[in-house]
Amino acid sequence: MIYNPEQYSIKDESMKPFIDAEEIWNYINSVKSTKERVRAVIKKALNKNRLSLEETAVLVNTTSPELIEEIKQGAKTLKEKVYGNRIVLFAPLYVGNLCANNCEYCGYKASNKAVKRITLNNTDLVKEVEALQDAGHKRLILVYGEHKKYDADFISNSVKEVYKVKKGNGEIRRVNINAAPLDIKGFETVKNSGIGTYQVFQETYHPETYKKVHLSGKKRDYDWRLTALDRAQEAGIDDVGIGALFGLYDWRFEVLSILRHVNHFEAVYKVGPHTISFPRLQNASNLNIDNTYKVSDEDFTKLVAIFRLAVPYTGLILTARESQKIRDEIMEFGVSQIDGGTNIEMKGYSKNETEQDIDKEQFVINDDRSLNEIMNELIENKYIPSFCTACYRLGRTGEHFMEFSVPGFIKRFCTPNAILTLAEYLEYYAPAKTKEAGYKLIEKELEKLGNDKRVEKLKEKLIALKEKGKRDLYF
Ligand code: SAM
């Protein structure tokens, strides 16, 4: 039976599993990707409409190079329409690598004795955050292994600690987290610490593969993980991030399943996830995965373009797991957030060691450029690097965020806010060369915005920032 998206409100229930593997394969196996159909789907997406599972399957099944190029071009146009040319920057910070799970793909699996287990104490945490603030970061994602030590109180205390750190002009304005699923009470505790997004990936949505790669530990429970963000919603966390680890199972299945997860959210909570991530499997200490489902660069870039078209208003995150080359290519047609100056070694930011050691990290990263190197490149390529945190701080999350974002909100609010946070970076953290190039970019962006009341206000704020030492200005 082909799934009818009109019916998902009948089918989906809060905290009930919603993935039917047969249904997903049914779409992939039954949908034909004719030229006319692919073009019609791209056209629908360009009108900023969400695509159904069936329509997404049309794109997933496209193999003609000419049509794949049209998908990528479509994604590029849509990205420009919805997001403008800004890219939001963040950094991951590993708080603890103790882990009770045995996941075949992960360097931090409990059975891997080659890894030194470290949990940052408050002094360590402050040092890491200060180093990140010195580089100019404003948005962090705190990352934790799954271990009884990292319960809701532990997570919540570390989040509060991070917000307290203020070195010089630095401060962290948004703390997101990536941690194992909690129960509703646990999610409530974490919500009260003031987190932004709660992110947890299903890794693979394919139940059999899931069991195969998660050998032991709580993570072996597929349904507990699948319904994690339902419990987060029930606890009042309406800003959540989903994703899959690409390389464990057929990428086409994972793309449609992620979409199915979005449908579930929209059906039950009337709001989609804030972000989708698509980490691709990288080498790791004691890695034990064969290459059957390895995702080629070609398929990877295509799948990101498909996500952009399928969910125009969901943020797409691309991390330093990928090389500069892939990041540059994919940024053009899909991604809205990247990490910069990434160091995933425990205590790595304060040590400032760039040399990678496979036994000290969860996996290998392929882009170890500093934040400023990434800022330079973004500016050179006419992106506006953004550290904006306004929506979350003004309560524009979840359903509200959706409402605002739909009629071009992102461009009206986000571009000015991106400009203001870029100017703050240029004033307080950038070397002279970056500062000069950054202000040139801002001038060009101001010209593009034209002349209305909002632009006047934006110019006033920029003067306050440059001449009166004001910081943290936003709309
Ligand atoms: N404790 C967290 C959990 O279980 O949700 C994991 C934190 S880890 C930073 C976040 C993600 O990294 C995992 O969910 C997984 O998708 C990804 N990851 C794990 N091993 C990886 C590897 N070898 N290559 C690339 N990404 C990997």
PDB file of all heavy atoms in Angstrom, residues 303-318:
ATOM      1  N   LEU A 303      21.930  13.376  -2.037  1.00  0.00           N
ATOM      2  CA  LEU A 303      20.934  13.203  -0.969  1.00  0.00           C
ATOM      3  C   LEU A 303      20.735  14.493  -0.176  1.00  0.00           C
ATOM      4  O   LEU A 303      19.629  14.781   0.303  1.00  0.00           O
ATOM      5  CB  LEU A 303      21.260  11.991  -0.080  1.00  0.00           C
ATOM      6  CG  LEU A 303      22.362  12.019   0.971  1.00  0.00           C
ATOM      7  CD1 LEU A 303      21.886  12.573   2.303  1.00  0.00           C
ATOM      8  CD2 LEU A 303      22.877  10.607   1.192  1.00  0.00           C
ATOM      9  N   VAL A 304      21.785  15.294  -0.047  1.00  0.00           N
ATOM     10  CA  VAL A 304      21.610  16.563   0.669  1.00  0.00           C
ATOM     11  C   VAL A 304      20.709  17.499  -0.155  1.00  0.00           C
ATOM     12  O   VAL A 304      19.819  18.167   0.385  1.00  0.00           O
ATOM     13  CB  VAL A 304      22.969  17.231   0.988  1.00  0.00           C
ATOM     14  CG1 VAL A 304      22.746  18.551   1.707  1.00  0.00           C
ATOM     15  CG2 VAL A 304      23.835  16.310   1.840  1.00  0.00           C
ATOM     16  N   ALA A 305      20.920  17.502  -1.464  1.00  0.00           N
ATOM     17  CA  ALA A 305      20.066  18.334  -2.331  1.00  0.00           C
ATOM     18  C   ALA A 305      18.607  17.879  -2.214  1.00  0.00           C
ATOM     19  O   ALA A 305      17.687  18.703  -2.191  1.00  0.00           O
ATOM     20  CB  ALA A 305      20.553  18.250  -3.772  1.00  0.00           C
ATOM     21  N   ILE A 306      18.406  16.574  -2.123  1.00  0.00           N
ATOM     22  CA  ILE A 306      17.030  16.048  -1.991  1.00  0.00           C
ATOM     23  C   ILE A 306      16.403  16.516  -0.679  1.00  0.00           C
ATOM     24  O   ILE A 306      15.241  16.951  -0.652  1.00  0.00           O
ATOM     25  CB  ILE A 306      17.024  14.500  -2.105  1.00  0.00           C
ATOM     26  CG1 ILE A 306      17.421  14.086  -3.521  1.00  0.00           C
ATOM     27  CG2 ILE A 306      15.660  13.920  -1.722  1.00  0.00           C
ATOM     28  CD1 ILE A 306      17.594  12.586  -3.729  1.00  0.00           C
ATOM     29  N   PHE A 307      17.179  16.466   0.397  1.00  0.00           N
ATOM     30  CA  PHE A 307      16.650  16.968   1.675  1.00  0.00           C
ATOM     31  C   PHE A 307      16.218  18.430   1.541  1.00  0.00           C
ATOM     32  O   PHE A 307      15.179  18.829   2.039  1.00  0.00           O
ATOM     33  CB  PHE A 307      17.703  16.876   2.790  1.00  0.00           C
ATOM     34  CG  PHE A 307      17.729  15.540   3.483  1.00  0.00           C
ATOM     35  CD1 PHE A 307      18.924  14.867   3.677  1.00  0.00           C
ATOM     36  CD2 PHE A 307      16.561  14.964   3.969  1.00  0.00           C
ATOM     37  CE1 PHE A 307      18.955  13.639   4.336  1.00  0.00           C
ATOM     38  CE2 PHE A 307      16.578  13.736   4.628  1.00  0.00           C
ATOM     39  CZ  PHE A 307      17.778  13.077   4.806  1.00  0.00           C
ATOM     40  N   ARG A 308      17.082  19.223   0.886  1.00  0.00           N
ATOM     41  CA  ARG A 308      16.752  20.652   0.785  1.00  0.00           C
ATOM     42  C   ARG A 308      15.389  20.841   0.111  1.00  0.00           C
ATOM     43  O   ARG A 308      14.558  21.633   0.542  1.00  0.00           O
ATOM     44  CB  ARG A 308      17.865  21.383   0.025  1.00  0.00           C
ATOM     45  CG  ARG A 308      17.717  22.861  -0.155  1.00  0.00           C
ATOM     46  CD  ARG A 308      17.772  23.699   1.138  1.00  0.00           C
ATOM     47  NE  ARG A 308      16.749  23.362   2.092  1.00  0.00           N
ATOM     48  CZ  ARG A 308      16.935  23.243   3.414  1.00  0.00           C
ATOM     49  NH1 ARG A 308      18.103  23.466   3.937  1.00  0.00           N
ATOM     50  NH2 ARG A 308      15.943  22.903   4.224  1.00  0.00           N
ATOM     51  N   LEU A 309      15.176  20.070  -0.978  1.00  0.00           N
ATOM     52  CA  LEU A 309      13.921  20.214  -1.708  1.00  0.00           C
ATOM     53  C   LEU A 309      12.748  19.648  -0.899  1.00  0.00           C
ATOM     54  O   LEU A 309      11.655  20.217  -0.905  1.00  0.00           O
ATOM     55  CB  LEU A 309      14.011  19.498  -3.057  1.00  0.00           C
ATOM     56  CG  LEU A 309      14.967  20.132  -4.072  1.00  0.00           C
ATOM     57  CD1 LEU A 309      15.076  19.249  -5.311  1.00  0.00           C
ATOM     58  CD2 LEU A 309      14.511  21.534  -4.475  1.00  0.00           C
ATOM     59  N   ALA A 310      12.966  18.562  -0.200  1.00  0.00           N
ATOM     60  CA  ALA A 310      11.857  17.872   0.475  1.00  0.00           C
ATOM     61  C   ALA A 310      11.357  18.625   1.701  1.00  0.00           C
ATOM     62  O   ALA A 310      10.169  18.592   2.016  1.00  0.00           O
ATOM     63  CB  ALA A 310      12.289  16.457   0.869  1.00  0.00           C
ATOM     64  N   VAL A 311      12.271  19.290   2.417  1.00  0.00           N
ATOM     65  CA  VAL A 311      11.877  20.020   3.637  1.00  0.00           C
ATOM     66  C   VAL A 311      12.468  21.433   3.618  1.00  0.00           C
ATOM     67  O   VAL A 311      13.449  21.712   4.308  1.00  0.00           O
ATOM     68  CB  VAL A 311      12.320  19.270   4.926  1.00  0.00           C
ATOM     69  CG1 VAL A 311      11.411  18.113   5.247  1.00  0.00           C
ATOM     70  CG2 VAL A 311      13.761  18.754   4.812  1.00  0.00           C
ATOM     71  N   PRO A 312      11.854  22.329   2.853  1.00  0.00           N
ATOM     72  CA  PRO A 312      12.457  23.649   2.644  1.00  0.00           C
ATOM     73  C   PRO A 312      12.737  24.413   3.940  1.00  0.00           C
ATOM     74  O   PRO A 312      13.642  25.228   3.985  1.00  0.00           O
ATOM     75  CB  PRO A 312      11.403  24.392   1.819  1.00  0.00           C
ATOM     76  CG  PRO A 312      10.545  23.348   1.231  1.00  0.00           C
ATOM     77  CD  PRO A 312      10.604  22.154   2.122  1.00  0.00           C
ATOM     78  N   TYR A 313      11.958  24.154   4.989  1.00  0.00           N
ATOM     79  CA  TYR A 313      12.115  24.977   6.194  1.00  0.00           C
ATOM     80  C   TYR A 313      12.836  24.287   7.330  1.00  0.00           C
ATOM     81  O   TYR A 313      12.814  24.751   8.456  1.00  0.00           O
ATOM     82  CB  TYR A 313      10.744  25.474   6.668  1.00  0.00           C
ATOM     83  CG  TYR A 313      10.166  26.448   5.683  1.00  0.00           C
ATOM     84  CD1 TYR A 313       9.135  26.085   4.830  1.00  0.00           C
ATOM     85  CD2 TYR A 313      10.708  27.720   5.569  1.00  0.00           C
ATOM     86  CE1 TYR A 313       8.637  26.972   3.904  1.00  0.00           C
ATOM     87  CE2 TYR A 313      10.223  28.621   4.648  1.00  0.00           C
ATOM     88  CZ  TYR A 313       9.189  28.238   3.811  1.00  0.00           C
ATOM     89  OH  TYR A 313       8.716  29.113   2.899  1.00  0.00           O
ATOM     90  N   THR A 314      13.482  23.174   7.050  1.00  0.00           N
ATOM     91  CA  THR A 314      14.227  22.502   8.117  1.00  0.00           C
ATOM     92  C   THR A 314      15.713  22.770   7.930  1.00  0.00           C
ATOM     93  O   THR A 314      16.231  22.628   6.817  1.00  0.00           O
ATOM     94  CB  THR A 314      13.961  20.972   8.045  1.00  0.00           C
ATOM     95  OG1 THR A 314      12.553  20.769   8.012  1.00  0.00           O
ATOM     96  CG2 THR A 314      14.550  20.265   9.255  1.00  0.00           C
ATOM     97  N   GLY A 315      16.377  23.166   9.010  1.00  0.00           N
ATOM     98  CA  GLY A 315      17.817  23.426   8.932  1.00  0.00           C
ATOM     99  C   GLY A 315      18.568  22.148   8.601  1.00  0.00           C
ATOM    100  O   GLY A 315      18.193  21.067   9.054  1.00  0.00           O
ATOM    101  N   LEU A 316      19.609  22.259   7.783  1.00  0.00           N
ATOM    102  CA  LEU A 316      20.437  21.093   7.447  1.00  0.00           C
ATOM    103  C   LEU A 316      21.852  21.339   7.973  1.00  0.00           C
ATOM    104  O   LEU A 316      22.442  22.391   7.703  1.00  0.00           O
ATOM    105  CB  LEU A 316      20.469  20.868   5.936  1.00  0.00           C
ATOM    106  CG  LEU A 316      19.136  20.550   5.246  1.00  0.00           C
ATOM    107  CD1 LEU A 316      19.358  20.316   3.749  1.00  0.00           C
ATOM    108  CD2 LEU A 316      18.444  19.336   5.868  1.00  0.00           C
ATOM    109  N   ILE A 317      22.361  20.363   8.714  1.00  0.00           N
ATOM    110  CA  ILE A 317      23.665  20.531   9.362  1.00  0.00           C
ATOM    111  C   ILE A 317      24.717  19.648   8.701  1.00  0.00           C
ATOM    112  O   ILE A 317      24.518  18.451   8.547  1.00  0.00           O
ATOM    113  CB  ILE A 317      23.582  20.131  10.853  1.00  0.00           C
ATOM    114  CG1 ILE A 317      22.525  20.984  11.566  1.00  0.00           C
ATOM    115  CG2 ILE A 317      24.943  20.277  11.534  1.00  0.00           C
ATOM    116  CD1 ILE A 317      22.401  20.693  13.057  1.00  0.00           C
ATOM    117  N   LEU A 318      25.841  20.264   8.336  1.00  0.00           N
ATOM    118  CA  LEU A 318      26.953  19.502   7.752  1.00  0.00           C
ATOM    119  C   LEU A 318      28.194  19.717   8.609  1.00  0.00           C
ATOM    120  O   LEU A 318      28.592  20.852   8.846  1.00  0.00           O
ATOM    121  CB  LEU A 318      27.224  20.001   6.330  1.00  0.00           C
ATOM    122  CG  LEU A 318      28.355  19.304   5.597  1.00  0.00           C
ATOM    123  CD1 LEU A 318      28.012  17.853   5.307  1.00  0.00           C
ATOM    124  CD2 LEU A 318      28.659  20.016   4.287  1.00  0.00           C
TER     125      LEU A 318
END
